[in-house]
Amino acid sequence: MHTARHTPARCFVAILITCAGLAGTSDALADDVEFYGLIGSFVGSMKRSDDVPRATVVGSGGLTTSWWGVRGSEDLGDGTKAIFELEQWFQPDTGGAGRSPADPSGFSRNGWVGLKGRYGQLTIGRHTSPYYVSMQLVNPFGSSVVFSPLVLQSYITAFNNTVIGDTVWNNVVQYVAPDIGGLSTTVVYAPGEVAGNSSVRNVGIHFRYVHDNLTAVFSAQRNRTAAVAPSTGQDAYLAGVAYDMGWAKLYGSAQTTDNDVTDIRARTWQLGTSVPVTKGGSILASWARTTQDNPAMSVGTHDTAALGYDYYLSKRTDVYVIYLYDHNEGRASGNSYALGLRHIF
């Protein structure tokens, strides 16, 4: 007797078939259900400022990590809705699920359920970190874990990341307050789920102000459940702005992280711009510098810069070319080149 293997591809097909089958049943689905996502890949010659040799790659994502999702809502009356969101990263270059084998095989990007109404939005489950979302708003390369200098120096291990923890948090209770004059506030709490130790938890508060051409953010988080030995946790703070002047959009941010026990402190500054130069295309540029105070060793500065051109073939499809420079003090510089394509569906 053969046992069926439930691969990510089969599970994905099963979800689509189920959604299609239920679409004709008025009571089977929420009032509004949407299937959506983004697929992107790039080809490039990649070299960081380290001892790893240059590699020619066909990579997943690029400017945005590929993902698909299903979300929906049900009107409960009196201005209140039940809402849910299920999102999964995937790798179009290999067909793999998640960003890497370390990701859960299910909904690795988001998986939550909640309520939304006049008093705000409360959701429970796996969430994209609001800290990471704030970071996307104040640099021209957005969420890119491949080309954004700010994201690379903050989250990517190969670039000596300074922020402890992932861009997604598990076991989260998240509250988003109603927008007041362009100011939104998000509070997150993630218990460590360690019996007898309630101090092992993640918490964060995040402010975003959007009005006319100005976007400003301030995020603060305390990360304990993803602590890296010998540190028992980290405090991280991010402040940044983006201002659209019409002929160019300007970006700036400052970040500081402070690790417990090791007393390692890092400071990261980032400047960037996006300049429309054709009807559908813009030049993107960003530079980030990180310096560290480490009592155990001498640590120099880390500079990463990116220059690119992003051209939209339509509202949902764009192509881009990017050059990435990376230099850790005391090491040889790294230079990367890439050509990529994205499509929103």
Side-chain angles (χ1 to χ4, degrees), residues 5 46 80 90 118 209 225-226 241 276 280 296 314 316 324 329:
R5 297 180 61 191
M46 313 299 288
T80 302
F90 66 96
R118 66 187 68 181
Y209 177 75
T225 63
V241 296
S314 69
R316 297 189 293 127
L324 184 70
E329 188 173 335

Side-chain angles (χ1 to χ4, degrees), residues 5-21:
R5 297 180 61 191
H6 298 285
T7 64
R10 289 184 178 179
C11 291
F12 174 59
V13 172
I15 290 172
L16 292 181
I17 293 173
T18 302
C19 289

Side-chain angles (χ1 to χ4, degrees), residues 259-339:
N259 292 11
D260 295 346
V261 180
T262 59
D263 290 328
I264 298 175
R265 296 177 175 85
R267 297 175 300 279
T268 302
W269 296 267
Q270 182 265 155
L271 295 173
T273 186
S274 59
V275 183
V277 291
T278 63
K279 184 177 180 180
S282 297
I283 292 175
L284 310 177
S286 178
W287 162 80
R289 165 171 284 190
T290 293
T291 59
Q292 288 193 19
D293 296 326
N294 187 340
M297 59 186 296
S298 175
V299 179
T301 59
H302 184 186
D303 290 289
T304 307
L307 178 65
Y309 178 68
D310 186 21
Y311 181 76
Y312 276 83
L313 302 170
S314 69
K315 290 183 179 180
R316 297 189 293 127
T317 304
D318 64 316
V319 294
Y320 56 86
V321 290
I322 293 179
Y323 165 73
L324 184 70
Y325 168 84
D326 185 50
H327 181 236
N328 269 303
E329 188 173 335
R331 295 182 177 180
S333 299
N335 298 274
S336 301
Y337 314 85
L339 169 67

Side-chain angles (χ1 to χ4, degrees), residues 11-345:
C11 291
F12 174 59
V13 172
I15 290 172
L16 292 181
I17 293 173
T18 302
C19 289
L22 293 176
T25 306
S26 59
D27 294 333
L29 289 177
D31 296 336
D32 181 21
V33 174
E34 179 185 6
F35 176 75
Y36 56 96
L38 179 148
I39 182 170
S41 285
F42 68 94
V43 58
S45 176
M46 313 299 288
K47 177 68 178 76
R48 300 184 301 269
S49 178
D50 55 22
D51 297 328
V52 178
R54 176 175 296 277
T56 300
V57 303
V58 173
S60 294
L63 272 182
T64 308
T65 304
S66 299
W67 55 278
W68 62 269
V70 179
R71 61 186 168 211
S73 65
E74 180 188 16
D75 191 345
L76 302 178
D78 196 29
T80 302
K81 290 184 177 182
I83 55 176
F84 75 89
E85 189 168 278
L86 303 170
E87 295 179 341
Q88 166 75 315
W89 277 303
F90 66 96
Q91 305 163 52
D93 59 327
T94 65
R99 297 162 294 180
S100 72
D103 268 339
S105 58
F107 298 103
S108 54
R109 191 173 190 260
N110 277 307
W112 50 254
V113 64
L115 296 172
K116 181 179 182 180
R118 66 187 68 181
Y119 300 109
Q121 177 174 299
L122 179 68
T123 52
I124 304 172
R126 180 174 166 93
H127 290 69
T128 299
S129 165
Y131 191 95
Y132 179 49
V133 175
S134 294
M135 188 175 291
Q136 298 172 31
L137 299 176
V138 293
N139 88 90
F141 290 90
S143 64
S144 179
V145 296
V146 181
F147 302 119
S148 167
L150 178 59
V151 174
L152 289 171
Q153 293 191 5
S154 298
Y155 281 104
I156 306 305
T157 303
F159 284 79
N160 302 318
N161 64 296
T162 59
V163 176
I164 288 178
D166 196 2
T167 61
V168 185
W169 283 12
N170 287 331
N171 310 314
V172 166
V173 179
Q174 177 173 287
Y175 171 70
V176 181
D179 186 288
I180 301 177
L183 176 65
S184 64
T185 303
T186 301
V187 179
V188 293
Y189 173 78
E193 300 188 345
V194 177
N197 190 352
S198 61
S199 66
V200 182
R201 61 186 183 271
N202 293 345
V203 294
I205 185 167
H206 312 272
F207 302 98
R208 302 187 192 106
Y209 177 75
V210 180
H211 181 70
D212 293 334
N213 299 333
L214 175 66
T215 299
V217 304
F218 175 78
S219 283
Q221 69 177 28
R222 171 70 168 168
N223 195 312
R224 297 293 296 274
T225 63
V228 177
S231 174
T232 58
Q234 180 189 77
D235 297 321
Y237 304 91
L238 171 70
V241 296
Y243 187 78
D244 192 345
M245 303 180 67
W247 59 271
K249 192 170 185 177
L250 306 179
Y251 303 83
S253 62
Q255 176 178 262
T256 179
T257 60
D258 186 357
N259 292 11
D260 295 346
V261 180
T262 59
D263 290 328
I264 298 175
R265 296 177 175 85
R267 297 175 300 279
T268 302
W269 296 267
Q270 182 265 155
L271 295 173
T273 186
S274 59
V275 183
V277 291
T278 63
K279 184 177 180 180
S282 297
I283 292 175
L284 310 177
S286 178
W287 162 80
R289 165 171 284 190
T290 293
T291 59
Q292 288 193 19
D293 296 326
N294 187 340
M297 59 186 296
S298 175
V299 179
T301 59
H302 184 186
D303 290 289
T304 307
L307 178 65
Y309 178 68
D310 186 21
Y311 181 76
Y312 276 83
L313 302 170
S314 69
K315 290 183 179 180
R316 297 189 293 127
T317 304
D318 64 316
V319 294
Y320 56 86
V321 290
I322 293 179
Y323 165 73
L324 184 70
Y325 168 84
D326 185 50
H327 181 236
N328 269 303
E329 188 173 335
R331 295 182 177 180
S333 299
N335 298 274
S336 301
Y337 314 85
L339 169 67
L341 173 68
R342 290 185 297 183
H343 176 72
I344 299 171
F345 58 88

